[in-house]
């Protein structure tokens, strides 16, 4: 591998080159700030003073309220408002209005911070304090400009501010659902239609589907199907290869579906438009990782396969994500690999820990933690499908692997270990022998309860596909 290729291989994962939120609470505050900007569009903010109140809902700690209020003051001040002043949460809504008018504030923002079904919500009205007889008669909501709302999942960072460590530990109960006769090459979870609930996307050699989870009893229903159009690849491997990433255009937008299969000459980006899933633009390679960003090139990690083979070439890794490894770390990466996954944990105080796991062509798994060399963990004889996820929001990563036995045997296993920053493993769960080979893994909140579920795809010896749900 050349020095230039080694440099490219370092472009794996970390902060985008432009400033982006660095914690869960930062994302919550950014979403709310974006909504404020939309509500105030057209106003001369240099002439506006705003008073802000953040009220705690049930079981919300004062530390969490104080931090969210401080982050909001910083964000709103940076927006260009002449003055942003916090108001005591002990004030009633009416007292807040009276204080705002007496203090000469043109705007008041009265928010509530609360948790509902595993999500932290920040919501409330943005109001103008001026009075208008005709407006107040016709609109009793007097001066209301907009009702703002932002939410994030309750994770280890938020648990930390709440003084709890999260659930005592994950438990796993597998459920199986039929998925037709098309091999699932990749899975992804995201809100593709913008309804506030995540959907499951399944990638097949010449087709992509979007599924909605109905219930544990009824399983999944298909909402969108789109065939993958030519040009087709001239040289294709014996085993079909596919990669897919679901990533939002922005924090309030629908998730785009970035994908490529070995049947395609180039990758593509799909998005929901109306009731259709439409191809929006081409993609330079196989998408292996991504993150929310308004600039597509800042959130992609792309790679190419070795010509005519079912493995990825590390020398072709490209993307505008900065390195998670120190200089020289690329020498410790495999030149070819079956799978690469990335993950990021955020803990109390906004501390981030970034992970990268790869499985090479001999079934050797290496797990890297940002800033540490060599790999903190090495496992032999693992399967080509894996995932990284903090399933119970305790600030520790779970490593999900499959077995490395001959696919002709038609049986596979899913194993879940907890791994800490030092690379210490603790077995949490191992499935029995599954009736088929695991072809894809992903995770997400598929049923809207605020908790992460693990999802897999199986292919049995009769070429029938199944979806596996672990929660």
């Amino acid at each position: 591998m050349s020095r230039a290729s080694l440099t490219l291989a370092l472009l794996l994962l970390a902060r985008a080159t432009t400033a982006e939120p660095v914690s869960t609470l930062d994302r919550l505050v950014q979403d709310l700030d974006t909504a404020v900007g939309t509500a105030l569009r057209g106003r001369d903010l240099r002439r506006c003073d705003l008073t802000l109140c953040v009220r705690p809902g049930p079981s919300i700690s004062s530390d969490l309220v104080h931090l969210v209020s401080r982050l909001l003051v910083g964000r709103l001040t940076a927006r260009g408002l002449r003055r942003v002043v916090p108001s005591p949460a002990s004030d009633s809504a009416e007292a807040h209005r009276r204080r705002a008018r007496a203090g000469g504030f043109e705007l008041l923002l009265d928010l509530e911070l609360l948790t509902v079904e595993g999500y932290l919500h920040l919501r409330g009205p943005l109001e103008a304090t001026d009075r208008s007889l005709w407006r107040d008669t016709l609109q009793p909501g007097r001066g209301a400009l907009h009702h703002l709302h932002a939410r994030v999942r309750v994770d280890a960072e938020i648990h930390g501010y709440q003084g709890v460590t999260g659930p005592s530990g994950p438990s796993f109960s597998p459920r199986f659902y039929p998925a037709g006769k098309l091999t699932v090459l990749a899975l992804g979870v995201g809100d593709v239609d913008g309804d506030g609930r995540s959907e499951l996307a399944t990638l097949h050699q010449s087709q992509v589907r979007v599924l909605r989870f109905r219930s544990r009893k009824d399983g999944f229903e298909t909402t969108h199907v789109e065939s993958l159009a030519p040009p087709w690849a001239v040289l294709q491997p014996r085993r079909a290869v596919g990669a897919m990433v679901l990533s939002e255009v922005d924090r309030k937008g629908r998730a785009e579906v970035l994908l490529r299969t070995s049947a395609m000459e180039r990758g593509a980006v799909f998005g929901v438009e109306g009731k259709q899933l439409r191809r929006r633009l081409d993609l330079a390679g196989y998408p292996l990782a991504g993150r929310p960003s308004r600039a597509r090139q800042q959130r992609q990690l792309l790679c190419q396969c070795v010509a005519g083979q079912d493995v990825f070439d590390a020398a072709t890794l490209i993307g505008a994500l900065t390195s998670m490894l120190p200089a020289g770390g690329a020498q410790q990466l495999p030149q070819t690999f079956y799978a690469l996954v990335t993950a990021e944990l955020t803990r109390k105080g906004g501390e981030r820990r970034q992970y990268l796991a790869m499985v090479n062509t001999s079934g050797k798994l290496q797990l890297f933690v940002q800033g540490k060399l060599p790999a903190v963990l090495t496992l032999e004889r693992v399967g080509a499908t894996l995932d990284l996820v903090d399933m119970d929001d305790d600030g520790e990563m779970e490593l999900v692997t499959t077995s490395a036995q001959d696919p002709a045997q038609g049986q596979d296993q899913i194993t879940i270990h907890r791994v800490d920053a030092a690379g210490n493993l603790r077995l949490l769960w191992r499935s029995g022998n599954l009736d088929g080979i695991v072809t894809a893994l992903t995770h997400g909140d598929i049923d809207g309860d605020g908790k992460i579920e693990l999802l897999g795809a199986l292919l049995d010896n009769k070429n029938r596909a199944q979806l596996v749900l672990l929660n």
Side-chain angles (χ1 to χ4, degrees):
M1 191 182 296
S2 67
R3 182 175 297 276
S5 297
L6 291 176
T7 301
L8 284 176
L10 283 172
L11 299 173
L12 298 179
L13 180 70
R15 302 173 187 262
T17 53
T18 58
E20 289 195 0
V22 296
S23 76
T24 305
L25 291 176
D26 281 323
R27 292 198 299 270
L28 178 73
V29 170
Q30 177 180 296
D31 287 353
L32 202 287
D33 173 62
T34 300
V36 170
T38 300
L40 297 180
R41 187 173 294 144
R43 282 182 171 252
D44 184 358
L45 299 185
R46 297 170 299 175
R47 298 177 179 271
C48 290
D49 299 320
L50 181 145
T51 178
L52 162 72
C53 180
V54 180
R55 306 178 189 282
S59 74
I60 297 294
S61 71
S62 59
D63 285 347
L64 191 57
V65 170
H66 175 74
L67 178 58
V68 169
S69 179
R70 181 166 58 84
L71 291 173
L72 271 173
V73 169
R75 280 275 181 180
L76 296 171
T77 300
R79 186 166 286 281
L81 287 156
R82 183 170 57 189
R83 186 167 52 131
V84 179
V85 178
S87 179
S90 57
D91 281 352
S92 66
E94 186 55 38
H96 188 198
R97 293 188 185 96
R98 289 197 301 266
R99 183 188 294 269
R101 294 190 186 103
F105 292 92
E106 288 78 19
L107 299 165
L108 65 91
L109 185 55
D110 200 326
L111 301 172
E112 183 181 19
L113 189 67
L114 72 162
T115 56
V116 180
E117 293 186 346
Y119 287 88
L120 182 67
H121 296 256
L122 185 59
R123 64 191 186 192
L126 173 67
E127 301 182 11
T129 61
D130 61 306
R131 293 180 177 273
S132 168
L133 175 62
W134 290 107
R135 184 196 63 205
D136 294 350
T137 300
L138 295 173
Q139 298 178 350
R142 195 166 58 207
L145 295 177
H146 212 279
H147 188 86
L148 310 180
H149 184 203
R151 74 169 192 169
V152 291
R153 285 192 65 256
V154 175
D155 63 3
E157 179 190 9
I158 296 171
H159 282 310
Y161 283 108
Q162 290 290 83
V164 297
T165 59
S168 58
S171 59
F172 305 99
S173 176
R175 292 177 178 269
F176 301 86
Y177 304 97
K181 291 190 175 182
L182 295 177
T183 302
V184 178
L185 303 180
L187 295 169
V189 173
D191 182 9
V192 299
D193 57 9
D195 66 352
R197 290 280 297 272
S198 292
E199 287 80 39
L200 175 67
T202 63
L203 178 64
H204 313 274
Q205 188 168 13
S206 57
Q207 188 181 88
V208 59
R209 296 177 178 177
V210 177
L211 312 177
R212 178 184 293 118
F213 184 72
R214 299 182 61 187
S215 68
R216 294 186 182 184
K217 177 182 177 182
D218 299 326
F220 295 85
E221 63 177 351
T222 302
T223 61
H224 300 82
V225 179
E226 184 65 27
S227 296
L228 306 179
W232 305 118
V234 176
L235 184 62
Q236 298 186 27
R238 286 187 175 184
R239 182 183 72 95
V241 178
M244 178 169 59
V245 171
L246 271 61
S247 187
E248 294 180 1
V249 179
D250 56 49
R251 298 290 176 185
K252 300 298 288 184
R254 299 173 176 178
E256 289 185 321
V257 183
L258 289 66
L259 61 84
R260 183 177 176 182
T261 73
S262 51
M264 305 167 68
E265 185 180 273
R266 62 181 70 95
V269 178
F270 285 82
V272 170
E273 298 176 7
K275 296 184 178 181
Q276 300 296 317
L277 187 63
R278 299 188 184 278
R279 184 170 180 153
R280 291 179 174 171
L281 49 85
D282 289 342
L283 205 58
Y286 290 83
L288 301 183
R291 64 187 301 172
S293 171
R294 287 177 175 81
R296 286 185 175 91
Q297 69 273 16
Q298 292 170 359
R299 71 170 186 268
Q300 298 173 4
L301 177 63
L302 305 174
C303 195
Q304 302 291 342
C305 280
V306 177
Q309 299 184 34
D310 60 350
V311 296
F312 294 105
D313 183 356
T316 64
L317 282 164
I318 58 172
L321 299 176
T322 55
S323 171
M324 69 160 288
L325 298 175
Q331 288 91 332
Q332 301 197 35
L333 300 181
Q335 293 187 7
T336 58
F337 59 93
Y338 280 123
L340 181 154
V341 296
T342 62
E344 179 179 288
L345 292 180
T346 305
R347 312 185 79 176
K348 182 178 179 179
E351 175 197 353
R352 296 196 302 173
R353 185 184 298 161
Q354 298 178 358
Y355 293 81
L356 180 144
M358 303 178 75
V359 175
N360 69 10
T361 52
S362 63
K364 177 181 178 180
L365 181 148
Q366 291 176 285
L367 178 67
F368 296 90
V369 177
Q370 184 180 18
K372 294 188 178 182
L373 284 175
V376 298
L377 173 66
T378 299
L379 290 178
E380 303 286 349
R381 293 187 55 78
V382 300
T385 306
L386 76 156
D387 198 11
L388 290 170
V389 53
D390 180 8
M391 294 194 67
D392 54 356
D393 297 315
D394 65 348
E396 298 294 340
M397 187 65 69
E398 275 80 59
L399 171 65
V400 187
T401 58
T402 54
S403 64
Q405 62 189 28
D406 185 354
Q409 296 179 13
Q411 291 186 330
D412 207 340
Q413 287 185 328
I414 296 175
T415 302
I416 303 176
H417 285 96
R418 176 160 296 158
V419 55
D420 61 22
N424 300 311
L425 281 181
R426 180 162 67 90
L427 178 64
L428 295 181
W429 182 82
R430 178 177 285 121
S431 73
N433 288 335
L434 301 173
D435 186 19
I437 299 300
V438 179
T439 59
L441 288 169
T442 193
H443 63 270
D445 178 15
I446 202 68
D447 56 8
D449 65 353
K451 299 177 182 179
I452 290 291
E453 288 84 41
L454 181 68
L455 297 116
L458 288 175
L459 184 70
D460 67 16
N461 56 12
K462 296 182 179 179
N463 289 324
R464 294 174 301 193
Q466 281 186 305
L467 295 175
V468 184
L469 175 66
L470 293 177
N471 56 7

